[in-house]
Amino acid sequence: MDNAWRRVVAAFRYNLGTLATGIAAAVGVPVLLFTAAVSMLGIGLLALPHELRWLGQIADFERWRAGARLGREIPGHEGAAGNLRAQLADPATLRDLRWVPANMFAGLVLGTLGIGLAVLPVLAVPAISLWWLFPEDDPMRVIANIPVTSWGSAAGLGLVQLVLCLGLAFFVTPRIADLSARISALLLAPSTREQLTERVETLEETRAGAVDAHGAELRRIERDLHDGTQARLVSIAMRLGLAEQQLERDPQAVAALLAEAREGAEEAMTELRGVLRSMYPPILADRGLEGALAAVAANCPLPVELDVPSLGKVPAPVEAAAYFVVNEALTNVVKHSGATGAQVTVTRIGDTLSVVVLDNGRGGINEERGTGVAGMRRRIAALDGQFVVDSPVGGPTVVAMDCPCVS
């Protein structure tokens, strides 16, 4: 019974919001039409962007309400609204303009009906108790046009009327709220074709970013090999050549050259391992993501609280991306944040791997200052994942990624 009452109350609140948006639409439609008309004369061009921005805010609020009611997300406007041309080019604005006149009627009708049915049980008993105010020759009539002429008939018919009103409130009011939410979702949500178009555009952007990131990675590896390992190998070859020439004349000098060549070979091997580790860390193949992140946390100069449950089979690219995000984020924490500690949480829900790195530093991350955030974002976008940085000035800073684990 408690759940039924909660559903009625939730539906009443939703229908109340529907009525409010319907009233707002009834006011907004004439204003928009008037502004559009005077815009042809150039007078309303200054007001129209502001009105479209307000309309977008109301429509996004309706998207949130309808999405919460239906249990799904309805995408709306992304970012701040620009000038009038940018607003009219935004598909969400066109959906707003399609929704507002329809909501002027649907919102008013469904909102009023849903609110009326919800409060009807409260009014049923007090209303029938006023039967004695009606004249005898024209008594109050209720269900099936039955006259109420005494307190006995008022009690009996009032009980029946209360049961019927409760039935309407319990069963019809939530369905009116659902119908209102579906109408809003139908008008405000992008169509399947629009979603596919946006998906293709997103894939084109992420693939272009992946190609750029791959090219930058290849150039980095080439630079590291050329400036580091290759230079070490050339130096080793020169020392071995000198040792070969002085083998018979100065054996002591040969020993020194061989020692330098050995040291150079060790340094070249160390640099080569570093390059290979940056491509795909061997520790991931040896110990898995859990062990690799434990090693990163252990090597961090700051205390790191690590929470990594059993993740099951994770594709190698996603594993590497998670490792690099945690490694880069903790490096930034040590270098730039002034934090005294950090927390790393890795979870897997279904086919989505989530990583959250939290620190108690000063915050204020700026992606344009070369903190590695742009590189992390490109790496995750290339895997069709989501990457978010929340770093207000004063902290704390949250670096989060969600990546699909579908092979």
Side-chain angles (χ1 to χ4, degrees), residues 7-51:
R7 286 196 298 270
V8 173
V9 171
F12 174 77
R13 291 175 178 173
Y14 189 88
N15 290 325
L16 190 63
T18 299
L19 179 60
T21 59
I23 295 173
V27 175
V29 167
V31 173
L32 284 172
L33 291 175
F34 176 76
T35 306
V38 297
S39 294
M40 298 179 181
L41 304 175
I43 303 173
L45 291 176
L46 296 177
L48 191 56
H50 300 287
E51 293 176 5

Short mmCIF file of all heavy atoms in Angstrom, two decimals, residues 7-51:
data_model
loop_
_atom_site.label_atom_id
_atom_site.label_comp_id
_atom_site.label_asym_id
_atom_site.label_seq_id
_atom_site.Cartn_x
_atom_site.Cartn_y
_atom_site.Cartn_z
N ARG A 7 3.67 5.84 -5.55
CA ARG A 7 3.47 6.01 -7.00
C ARG A 7 2.50 7.14 -7.29
O ARG A 7 2.69 7.92 -8.22
CB ARG A 7 2.99 4.70 -7.62
CG ARG A 7 4.06 3.64 -7.74
CD ARG A 7 3.63 2.54 -8.70
NE ARG A 7 2.43 1.85 -8.23
CZ ARG A 7 2.47 0.77 -7.45
NH1 ARG A 7 3.62 0.28 -7.04
NH2 ARG A 7 1.34 0.17 -7.09
N VAL A 8 1.43 7.21 -6.50
CA VAL A 8 0.45 8.29 -6.71
C VAL A 8 1.07 9.65 -6.42
O VAL A 8 0.88 10.61 -7.18
CB VAL A 8 -0.79 8.05 -5.82
CG1 VAL A 8 -1.74 9.24 -5.91
CG2 VAL A 8 -1.52 6.78 -6.26
N VAL A 9 1.82 9.74 -5.33
CA VAL A 9 2.45 11.01 -4.98
C VAL A 9 3.46 11.41 -6.05
O VAL A 9 3.53 12.58 -6.47
CB VAL A 9 3.12 10.92 -3.60
CG1 VAL A 9 3.96 12.16 -3.32
CG2 VAL A 9 2.07 10.74 -2.52
N ALA A 10 4.27 10.44 -6.52
CA ALA A 10 5.25 10.74 -7.57
C ALA A 10 4.55 11.18 -8.85
O ALA A 10 4.99 12.12 -9.53
CB ALA A 10 6.13 9.52 -7.83
N ALA A 11 3.44 10.49 -9.19
CA ALA A 11 2.70 10.87 -10.39
C ALA A 11 2.08 12.25 -10.22
O ALA A 11 2.03 13.05 -11.18
CB ALA A 11 1.62 9.83 -10.68
N PHE A 12 1.58 12.55 -9.01
CA PHE A 12 1.01 13.87 -8.75
C PHE A 12 2.06 14.96 -8.95
O PHE A 12 1.80 16.00 -9.57
CB PHE A 12 0.45 13.93 -7.33
CG PHE A 12 -0.03 15.29 -6.91
CD1 PHE A 12 -1.25 15.78 -7.35
CD2 PHE A 12 0.76 16.09 -6.09
CE1 PHE A 12 -1.69 17.05 -6.97
CE2 PHE A 12 0.34 17.34 -5.71
CZ PHE A 12 -0.89 17.83 -6.15
N ARG A 13 3.27 14.74 -8.41
CA ARG A 13 4.34 15.72 -8.59
C ARG A 13 4.71 15.88 -10.07
O ARG A 13 4.92 16.99 -10.54
CB ARG A 13 5.56 15.28 -7.79
CG ARG A 13 5.38 15.36 -6.28
CD ARG A 13 6.60 14.80 -5.58
NE ARG A 13 6.47 14.91 -4.13
CZ ARG A 13 7.33 14.38 -3.27
NH1 ARG A 13 8.38 13.71 -3.71
NH2 ARG A 13 7.14 14.53 -1.97
N TYR A 14 4.77 14.74 -10.77
CA TYR A 14 5.11 14.84 -12.19
C TYR A 14 4.02 15.60 -12.96
O TYR A 14 4.34 16.45 -13.81
CB TYR A 14 5.30 13.45 -12.79
CG TYR A 14 5.87 13.50 -14.18
CD1 TYR A 14 7.24 13.53 -14.38
CD2 TYR A 14 5.04 13.57 -15.30
CE1 TYR A 14 7.78 13.60 -15.65
CE2 TYR A 14 5.57 13.65 -16.57
CZ TYR A 14 6.94 13.67 -16.74
OH TYR A 14 7.46 13.76 -18.01
N ASN A 15 2.76 15.28 -12.69
CA ASN A 15 1.68 15.98 -13.38
C ASN A 15 1.64 17.47 -13.02
O ASN A 15 1.25 18.30 -13.84
CB ASN A 15 0.34 15.32 -13.03
CG ASN A 15 0.20 13.94 -13.65
OD1 ASN A 15 0.69 13.69 -14.75
ND2 ASN A 15 -0.43 13.03 -12.93
N LEU A 16 2.03 17.78 -11.78
CA LEU A 16 2.12 19.19 -11.40
C LEU A 16 3.19 19.90 -12.22
O LEU A 16 2.97 21.03 -12.70
CB LEU A 16 2.44 19.29 -9.90
CG LEU A 16 2.33 20.68 -9.27
CD1 LEU A 16 0.90 21.19 -9.35
CD2 LEU A 16 2.80 20.63 -7.81
N GLY A 17 4.34 19.23 -12.43
CA GLY A 17 5.36 19.80 -13.29
C GLY A 17 4.90 19.91 -14.73
O GLY A 17 5.24 20.86 -15.44
N THR A 18 4.11 18.92 -15.17
CA THR A 18 3.59 18.96 -16.54
C THR A 18 2.66 20.16 -16.72
O THR A 18 2.72 20.86 -17.75
CB THR A 18 2.82 17.66 -16.84
OG1 THR A 18 3.72 16.56 -16.73
CG2 THR A 18 2.23 17.69 -18.25
N LEU A 19 1.83 20.39 -15.73
CA LEU A 19 0.95 21.56 -15.81
C LEU A 19 1.76 22.86 -15.82
O LEU A 19 1.44 23.79 -16.58
CB LEU A 19 -0.02 21.56 -14.62
CG LEU A 19 -1.00 22.73 -14.56
CD1 LEU A 19 -1.89 22.78 -15.79
CD2 LEU A 19 -1.84 22.65 -13.28
N ALA A 20 2.83 22.90 -15.02
CA ALA A 20 3.67 24.10 -14.98
C ALA A 20 4.34 24.35 -16.33
O ALA A 20 4.37 25.48 -16.83
CB ALA A 20 4.72 23.97 -13.88
N THR A 21 4.88 23.28 -16.96
CA THR A 21 5.49 23.47 -18.28
C THR A 21 4.45 23.81 -19.34
O THR A 21 4.73 24.52 -20.30
CB THR A 21 6.28 22.21 -18.69
OG1 THR A 21 5.40 21.08 -18.72
CG2 THR A 21 7.42 21.95 -17.72
N GLY A 22 3.22 23.27 -19.16
CA GLY A 22 2.17 23.62 -20.10
C GLY A 22 1.81 25.09 -20.01
O GLY A 22 1.59 25.76 -21.04
N ILE A 23 1.75 25.62 -18.78
CA ILE A 23 1.48 27.05 -18.61
C ILE A 23 2.62 27.87 -19.20
O ILE A 23 2.39 28.89 -19.88
CB ILE A 23 1.28 27.36 -17.12
CG1 ILE A 23 0.01 26.67 -16.59
CG2 ILE A 23 1.20 28.86 -16.89
CD1 ILE A 23 -0.17 26.78 -15.10
N ALA A 24 3.86 27.42 -18.95
CA ALA A 24 5.01 28.14 -19.51
C ALA A 24 4.96 28.12 -21.04
O ALA A 24 5.28 29.12 -21.70
CB ALA A 24 6.31 27.51 -19.01
N ALA A 25 4.56 26.99 -21.62
CA ALA A 25 4.44 26.92 -23.08
C ALA A 25 3.34 27.83 -23.59
O ALA A 25 3.48 28.47 -24.64
CB ALA A 25 4.19 25.48 -23.51
N ALA A 26 2.21 27.88 -22.85
CA ALA A 26 1.11 28.75 -23.27
C ALA A 26 1.53 30.21 -23.27
O ALA A 26 1.05 31.01 -24.08
CB ALA A 26 -0.09 28.54 -22.35
N VAL A 27 2.42 30.57 -22.35
CA VAL A 27 2.94 31.94 -22.34
C VAL A 27 4.04 32.12 -23.39
O VAL A 27 4.13 33.17 -24.04
CB VAL A 27 3.47 32.29 -20.93
CG1 VAL A 27 4.13 33.66 -20.92
CG2 VAL A 27 2.36 32.23 -19.90
N GLY A 28 4.86 31.08 -23.55
CA GLY A 28 6.02 31.22 -24.42
C GLY A 28 5.71 31.22 -25.89
O GLY A 28 6.38 31.90 -26.68
N VAL A 29 4.71 30.44 -26.32
CA VAL A 29 4.41 30.36 -27.75
C VAL A 29 4.04 31.72 -28.34
O VAL A 29 4.60 32.13 -29.37
CB VAL A 29 3.30 29.31 -28.01
CG1 VAL A 29 2.77 29.43 -29.43
CG2 VAL A 29 3.85 27.92 -27.78
N PRO A 30 3.12 32.48 -27.74
CA PRO A 30 2.83 33.81 -28.31
C PRO A 30 4.05 34.73 -28.30
O PRO A 30 4.25 35.50 -29.25
CB PRO A 30 1.72 34.35 -27.39
CG PRO A 30 1.11 33.16 -26.77
CD PRO A 30 2.22 32.19 -26.60
N VAL A 31 4.85 34.63 -27.24
CA VAL A 31 6.05 35.48 -27.17
C VAL A 31 7.01 35.13 -28.29
O VAL A 31 7.56 36.01 -28.98
CB VAL A 31 6.72 35.34 -25.80
CG1 VAL A 31 8.06 36.09 -25.77
CG2 VAL A 31 5.81 35.85 -24.70
N LEU A 32 7.23 33.83 -28.53
CA LEU A 32 8.14 33.42 -29.60
C LEU A 32 7.60 33.82 -30.97
O LEU A 32 8.37 34.26 -31.84
CB LEU A 32 8.34 31.90 -29.54
CG LEU A 32 9.26 31.37 -28.44
CD1 LEU A 32 9.21 29.85 -28.38
CD2 LEU A 32 10.70 31.82 -28.69
N LEU A 33 6.30 33.64 -31.17
CA LEU A 33 5.72 34.02 -32.47
C LEU A 33 5.84 35.53 -32.70
O LEU A 33 6.17 35.97 -33.81
CB LEU A 33 4.25 33.60 -32.52
CG LEU A 33 4.00 32.08 -32.59
CD1 LEU A 33 2.49 31.79 -32.53
CD2 LEU A 33 4.60 31.50 -33.86
N PHE A 34 5.59 36.30 -31.65
CA PHE A 34 5.71 37.76 -31.80
C PHE A 34 7.15 38.15 -32.08
O PHE A 34 7.42 38.98 -32.95
CB PHE A 34 5.21 38.45 -30.52
CG PHE A 34 5.38 39.94 -30.53
CD1 PHE A 34 4.54 40.76 -31.27
CD2 PHE A 34 6.42 40.52 -29.82
CE1 PHE A 34 4.72 42.14 -31.29
CE2 PHE A 34 6.61 41.89 -29.83
CZ PHE A 34 5.76 42.71 -30.56
N THR A 35 8.09 37.55 -31.35
CA THR A 35 9.51 37.88 -31.56
C THR A 35 9.95 37.47 -32.95
O THR A 35 10.70 38.19 -33.61
CB THR A 35 10.36 37.18 -30.50
OG1 THR A 35 9.88 37.51 -29.20
CG2 THR A 35 11.82 37.61 -30.61
N ALA A 36 9.50 36.29 -33.41
CA ALA A 36 9.87 35.85 -34.75
C ALA A 36 9.30 36.79 -35.81
O ALA A 36 9.95 37.07 -36.83
CB ALA A 36 9.38 34.42 -34.99
N ALA A 37 8.09 37.29 -35.56
CA ALA A 37 7.47 38.21 -36.53
C ALA A 37 8.24 39.52 -36.61
O ALA A 37 8.54 40.01 -37.70
CB ALA A 37 6.01 38.45 -36.17
N VAL A 38 8.56 40.08 -35.44
CA VAL A 38 9.26 41.36 -35.46
C VAL A 38 10.74 41.19 -35.85
O VAL A 38 11.41 42.16 -36.21
CB VAL A 38 9.16 42.07 -34.10
CG1 VAL A 38 7.71 42.40 -33.78
CG2 VAL A 38 9.78 41.24 -32.99
N SER A 39 11.25 39.92 -35.79
CA SER A 39 12.63 39.69 -36.23
C SER A 39 12.78 39.91 -37.72
O SER A 39 13.88 40.23 -38.21
CB SER A 39 13.06 38.26 -35.86
OG SER A 39 13.13 38.11 -34.46
N MET A 40 11.69 39.73 -38.46
CA MET A 40 11.75 39.99 -39.90
C MET A 40 12.04 41.46 -40.18
O MET A 40 12.57 41.80 -41.23
CB MET A 40 10.43 39.58 -40.56
CG MET A 40 10.11 38.10 -40.42
SD MET A 40 8.53 37.67 -41.19
CE MET A 40 8.45 35.93 -40.81
N LEU A 41 11.68 42.31 -39.22
CA LEU A 41 11.98 43.73 -39.35
C LEU A 41 13.30 44.10 -38.70
O LEU A 41 13.69 45.27 -38.71
CB LEU A 41 10.84 44.56 -38.72
CG LEU A 41 9.44 44.28 -39.27
CD1 LEU A 41 8.41 45.09 -38.47
CD2 LEU A 41 9.36 44.62 -40.75
N GLY A 42 13.96 43.09 -38.10
CA GLY A 42 15.24 43.32 -37.47
C GLY A 42 15.15 43.75 -36.03
O GLY A 42 16.17 43.89 -35.35
N ILE A 43 13.93 43.94 -35.50
CA ILE A 43 13.77 44.45 -34.13
C ILE A 43 13.97 43.33 -33.11
O ILE A 43 14.58 43.55 -32.07
CB ILE A 43 12.40 45.10 -33.96
CG1 ILE A 43 12.22 46.22 -35.00
CG2 ILE A 43 12.22 45.65 -32.56
CD1 ILE A 43 10.83 46.82 -35.01
N GLY A 44 13.47 42.15 -33.41
CA GLY A 44 13.49 41.07 -32.42
C GLY A 44 14.73 40.20 -32.46
O GLY A 44 14.81 39.23 -31.71
N LEU A 45 15.69 40.51 -33.32
CA LEU A 45 16.88 39.67 -33.42
C LEU A 45 17.70 39.67 -32.14
O LEU A 45 18.43 38.72 -31.86
CB LEU A 45 17.74 40.12 -34.60
CG LEU A 45 17.15 39.86 -35.99
CD1 LEU A 45 18.05 40.42 -37.06
CD2 LEU A 45 16.94 38.36 -36.20
N LEU A 46 17.63 40.75 -31.37
CA LEU A 46 18.39 40.81 -30.12
C LEU A 46 17.75 39.96 -29.03
O LEU A 46 18.44 39.38 -28.20
CB LEU A 46 18.50 42.27 -29.64
CG LEU A 46 19.29 43.22 -30.56
CD1 LEU A 46 19.26 44.63 -29.99
CD2 LEU A 46 20.73 42.74 -30.71
N ALA A 47 16.42 39.89 -29.02
CA ALA A 47 15.72 39.14 -27.98
C ALA A 47 15.62 37.65 -28.29
O ALA A 47 15.56 36.83 -27.37
CB ALA A 47 14.33 39.72 -27.76
N LEU A 48 15.59 37.29 -29.57
CA LEU A 48 15.35 35.89 -29.95
C LEU A 48 16.40 34.93 -29.39
O LEU A 48 16.03 33.86 -28.88
CB LEU A 48 15.27 35.78 -31.48
CG LEU A 48 14.76 34.44 -32.02
CD1 LEU A 48 13.39 34.12 -31.45
CD2 LEU A 48 14.70 34.47 -33.54
N PRO A 49 17.71 35.21 -29.43
CA PRO A 49 18.67 34.26 -28.84
C PRO A 49 18.44 34.02 -27.36
O PRO A 49 18.57 32.88 -26.88
CB PRO A 49 20.03 34.94 -29.09
CG PRO A 49 19.81 35.85 -30.24
CD PRO A 49 18.40 36.33 -30.09
N HIS A 50 18.08 35.07 -26.62
CA HIS A 50 17.81 34.89 -25.20
C HIS A 50 16.57 34.02 -24.97
O HIS A 50 16.55 33.15 -24.08
CB HIS A 50 17.63 36.24 -24.52
CG HIS A 50 18.84 37.13 -24.62
ND1 HIS A 50 19.99 36.91 -23.89
CD2 HIS A 50 19.08 38.24 -25.37
CE1 HIS A 50 20.88 37.84 -24.17
NE2 HIS A 50 20.36 38.67 -25.07
N GLU A 51 15.55 34.24 -25.79
CA GLU A 51 14.33 33.45 -25.64
C GLU A 51 14.59 31.98 -25.99
O GLU A 51 14.07 31.08 -25.33
CB GLU A 51 13.23 34.04 -26.52
CG GLU A 51 12.77 35.42 -26.06
CD GLU A 51 11.75 36.02 -27.01
OE1 GLU A 51 11.35 35.32 -27.97
OE2 GLU A 51 11.35 37.19 -26.80
#
